[in-house]
Amino acid sequence: MADTEHVTGNAELSDGERRDFLVLTTAAVGAAGAAMAAWPFIHSMNPAKDTLALSTTEIDLSPIEEGQSITVVWRGKPVFVRRRTADEIADATGTPLGDLPDPQPDEERAQQPEWLILVGVCTHLGCIPLGQKTGESRGDFGGWFCPCHGSHYDTSGRIRKGPAPSNLPVPEYTFLDESTVRIG
Amino acid sequence: MATTEYNNPVIRWIEYRLPIFSFLDHSLGSGYPTPRNLNYLWNFGSLAGVVLMIMIISGIFLAMNYTAHVDYAFVSVERIMRDVNYGWLIRYIHMNGGSFFFIVVYIHIFRGLYFGSYKAPREILWIFGILILLAMMATAFMGYVLPWGQMSFWGATVITNLFSAIPLVGDSIVTLLWGGFSVDNPTLNRFYALHYLMPFVILGLVVMHIWALHVHGSNNPLGVDVKGPQDTIPFHPYYTVKDLFGLGVFLIIFMAVVTYAPNYMGHPDNYIEANPLVTPAHIVPEWYFLPFYAILRAITFDILFLDAKLLGVIAMFASIIILALLPWLDRSPVRSSKFRPLYKQFFWIFVLDCILLGYIGGKPAEGIYIPIGQAATFYYFLHLLVIIPLLGLLERPKPIPESISQAVIKPAAAE
């Protein structure tokens, strides 16, 4: 322990400088190591492989009649699939963009005008709007109505009235054939 | 050091209201004087603390993905291994961390035995250490049940059945432990709840252990009390650096096992889901329980009105409880084996005896293993109950140095 003797041969650095250098480099390596050790633990909280495997949902559209809606679960959330009537499509396409709080033409929201596919979660605070079942209120614009705080959506799922800031989101989807759509 | 001045105004502001900086300084900073002659065996205390933290952190992340139900427990562990990001790494860290916790703690205990660290004034420190060992054993046992493999289930069955040896109320106690009539879902649920609780009980015991340690400071390889500042060096930076270096070496070994031989210390049977209708051919506990398992099985005969089953259980628990009485069994005033020529030899025989017990515990209870196990068990108790007290009376210690600095610094200067 009595190592007071001075190590010679390294003329460029004083003892204090060398000590500072060692402390800083050791701390840097330690910090990098701690960050690398933390990553597996943090990443373990991200979706697991089996969760990701369930991230697409295929839907058979053939039983849905014109004017009907179904709700399917995709990534734990409800997805509204509505086969719109000609009137509903006309309403949606005919609305001037100037009347919309979150302007977006209907053509951007439906790949095929007959089929409207939406994530059925109100953009205000996450409630599920009414309007899927017969007899439920569809709001003032014939689309959906959120009972929590009174947001009205039109037949394109666009916000028209109420506190919600934006339209019901359209999920990524692909038509696999005439009557099958894959969401996600 | 209570008058430590801090230059940083924020630190000064906090320190005035909550003296946490001076507390840290006295606990593991430059304000904690430590014997200047500690060797690397003194690394294992802080190492055990680090392993406890590794176990708690990895355990919390496992708990996020584990399901404590007999129908899902095994599958949820397999999901952790296959689907959860880095789940395999976290589980292998936790699984092997348990083994390494015992490796570190056993070395820590034998260090204490060799250098007489349990002697006055460190008796309470030592007893808290034994309590930590008992709590660790309970935690490890319940944790091993959670994956709900064959060894989990049958280990739980065998160990809980130990309590049926208690006269009169034994069977009622076992039913109470199980929450049913066999190891089943209620057992798994309570073991999970307690396995999550126990580490924090251990943490509390560790706080008491360190508190008691800091009253009189660390023992040292000479076993001589610190006489003054010339015998000590500040904990920081000298022992923080030494502990960190030791931690680095430990982590290299630990991660080598975790990544290259994660199942080396495990049993293949535990990758078979628990089946209450089929018992594995050899039920063997984890390696760290083997010496105690050997003592349990060594008693194959009745004594008076006590049957072998009860005696085995008593012997097993006594083998740990007696350790707590060591400060009073050992009457020698000399701490370190360095100056106890006879005790030093008996210490190593005792170490070998413990290893032999561990070997026997891993072998089936048949043939020559039974008498060897009995002899080793007999010697275990002979050492603690007879040899140690006698050595205190009969042994003639070597001359003890006057002080640490006199023994450590003078010879170095003379060279």
Side-chain angles (χ1 to χ4, degrees):
Chain A
M1 279 288 141
D3 51 347
T4 47
E5 56 185 301
H6 192 83
V7 182
T8 54
N10 198 340
E12 289 121 35
L13 288 172
S14 71
D15 270 1
E17 285 169 328
R18 185 162 54 224
R19 192 171 297 133
D20 287 348
F21 174 76
L22 287 171
V23 167
L24 286 171
T25 47
T26 307
V29 170
M36 283 194 283
W39 173 245
F41 290 91
I42 296 164
H43 190 44
S44 79
M45 296 169 77
N46 273 323
K49 292 190 189 75
D50 61 334
T51 310
L52 293 175
L54 297 177
S55 60
T56 60
T57 302
E58 284 182 22
I59 306 166
D60 179 13
L61 300 173
S62 54
I64 307 170
E65 301 287 334
E66 193 177 297
Q68 277 187 334
S69 290
I70 62 161
T71 305
V72 293
V73 178
W74 172 70
R75 293 184 183 173
K77 287 184 286 201
V79 167
F80 296 163
V81 180
R82 183 181 285 189
R83 186 171 185 177
R84 294 191 289 188
T85 62
D87 285 351
E88 287 172 336
I89 298 170
D91 273 355
T93 50
T95 308
L97 290 184
D99 290 358
L100 300 170
D102 179 14
Q104 193 181 22
D106 187 64
E107 294 74 28
E108 282 181 17
R109 296 177 55 79
Q111 288 178 18
Q112 297 181 14
E114 197 180 17
W115 295 103
L116 181 65
I117 301 176
L118 303 166
V119 175
V121 177
C122 181
T123 57
H124 180 220
L125 292 171
C127 295
I128 297 171
L130 300 174
Q132 284 293 89
K133 294 191 185 127
T134 47
E136 283 182 356
S137 166
R138 291 188 164 188
D140 297 350
F141 299 88
W144 289 268
F145 171 66
C146 184
C148 289
H149 306 94
S151 292
H152 298 256
Y153 296 93
D154 67 11
T155 55
S156 187
R158 295 173 296 199
I159 182 66
R160 301 298 292 273
K161 199 170 111 182
S166 54
N167 305 332
L168 291 177
V170 177
E172 198 181 306
Y173 63 87
T174 320
F175 282 93
L176 300 178
D177 55 50
E178 279 297 291
S179 61
T180 315
V181 65
R182 187 181 66 208
I183 302 177
Chain B
M1 277 302 216
T3 55
T4 314
E5 285 295 322
Y6 295 99
N7 292 325
N8 187 321
V10 177
I11 290 180
R12 234 177 14 239
W13 188 91
I14 296 171
E15 175 72 16
Y16 183 67
R17 287 151 182 84
L18 178 73
I20 188 165
F21 295 101
S22 56
F23 174 79
L24 287 174
D25 191 55
H26 293 160
S27 303
L28 32 85
S30 53
Y32 179 45
T34 318
R36 64 191 310 152
N37 59 334
L38 300 187
N39 61 34
Y40 273 108
L41 286 169
W42 265 261
N43 277 50
F44 287 85
S46 72
L47 213 45
V50 172
V51 178
L52 177 62
M53 294 321 296
I54 290 174
M55 293 304 283
I56 288 177
I57 292 168
S58 57
I60 286 170
F61 280 86
L62 287 179
M64 291 178 191
N65 289 295
Y66 173 75
T67 310
H69 187 286
V70 289
D71 292 341
Y72 306 106
F74 187 84
V75 181
S76 72
V77 172
E78 284 307 307
R79 180 176 170 273
I80 289 170
M81 295 301 290
R82 292 151 198 260
D83 285 344
V84 174
N85 304 315
Y86 291 108
W88 57 273
L89 178 64
I90 297 171
R91 173 162 178 261
Y92 279 153
I93 284 174
H94 198 73
M95 199 171 113
N96 288 284
S99 277
F100 274 84
F101 203 176
F102 279 95
I103 292 173
V104 167
V105 161
Y106 283 155
I107 293 174
H108 188 61
I109 292 172
F110 279 111
R111 192 285 321 267
L113 291 175
Y114 186 83
F115 293 104
S117 300
Y118 49 85
K119 294 186 187 186
R122 298 187 181 84
E123 299 96 325
I124 292 180
L125 170 60
W126 172 258
I127 289 170
F128 270 106
I130 301 296
L131 292 177
I132 291 169
L133 176 64
L134 285 170
M136 277 175 62
M137 289 175 145
T139 312
F141 161 66
M142 289 188 287
Y144 193 62
V145 176
L146 302 184
W148 208 243
Q150 274 288 66
M151 278 295 175
S152 301
F153 182 88
W154 292 101
T157 301
V158 169
I159 301 299
T160 49
N161 265 315
L162 291 180
F163 293 90
S164 70
I166 300 168
L168 301 175
V169 293
D171 286 332
S172 311
I173 288 178
V174 173
T175 306
L176 180 76
L177 288 173
W178 286 340
F181 303 100
S182 63
V183 173
D184 207 336
N185 201 46
T187 328
L188 180 61
N189 274 306
R190 63 189 60 184
F191 277 20
Y192 181 49
L194 294 172
H195 183 71
Y196 208 120
L197 166 72
M198 286 304 286
F200 300 98
V201 173
I202 294 176
L203 199 61
L205 291 170
V206 167
V207 169
M208 303 297 281
H209 191 67
I210 295 174
W211 187 6
L213 169 70
H214 283 198
V215 175
H216 292 284
S218 293
N219 183 33
N220 63 81
L222 293 171
V224 182
D225 281 329
V226 167
K227 303 254 166 37
Q230 72 280 6
D231 290 343
T232 64
I233 47 176
F235 189 84
H236 179 76
Y238 296 102
Y239 289 118
T240 42
V241 163
K242 192 167 181 170
D243 281 353
L244 277 174
F245 176 74
L247 176 64
V249 173
F250 170 82
L251 287 176
I252 289 169
I253 298 169
F254 176 55
M255 289 313 291
V257 173
V258 164
T259 49
Y260 288 102
N263 290 301
Y264 178 73
M265 288 179 280
H267 297 293
D269 276 305
N270 224 29
Y271 284 103
I272 303 169
E273 190 168 4
N275 182 349
L277 303 179
V278 180
T279 307
H282 293 288
I283 303 181
V284 185
E286 291 282 86
W287 68 266
Y288 39 80
F289 289 137
L290 290 177
F292 306 101
Y293 196 56
I295 292 174
L296 170 76
R297 297 193 304 187
I299 316 294
T300 53
F301 42 84
D302 300 349
I303 299 176
L304 301 175
F305 58 91
L306 298 171
D307 63 10
K309 184 177 174 183
L310 177 59
L311 285 169
V313 174
I314 291 173
M316 187 181 73
F317 283 105
S319 67
I320 303 167
I321 305 298
I322 286 173
L323 288 175
L325 303 176
L326 208 52
W328 296 276
L329 290 167
D330 187 350
R331 307 303 300 169
S332 171
V334 179
R335 292 199 190 103
S336 176
S337 291
K338 232 176 182 145
F339 310 108
R340 300 188 64 191
L342 286 177
Y343 174 77
K344 186 192 244 177
Q345 294 171 34
F346 281 107
F347 168 84
W348 286 111
I349 297 173
F350 183 65
V351 171
L352 291 176
D353 188 54
C354 291
I355 293 170
L356 178 63
L357 280 169
Y359 172 77
I360 295 294
K363 291 287 167 192
E366 58 193 30
I368 188 70
Y369 298 125
I370 294 174
I372 294 177
Q374 288 172 336
T377 301
F378 178 75
Y379 186 80
Y380 183 94
F381 288 102
L382 186 77
H383 175 88
L384 292 170
L385 293 173
V386 179
I387 294 174
I388 281 187
L390 279 182
L391 283 178
L393 298 171
L394 303 175
E395 185 180 44
R396 221 177 132 176
K398 290 185 192 168
I400 295 167
E402 270 172 43
S403 72
I404 295 170
S405 53
Q406 187 248 359
V408 176
I409 294 178
K410 291 281 168 61
E415 273 172 34

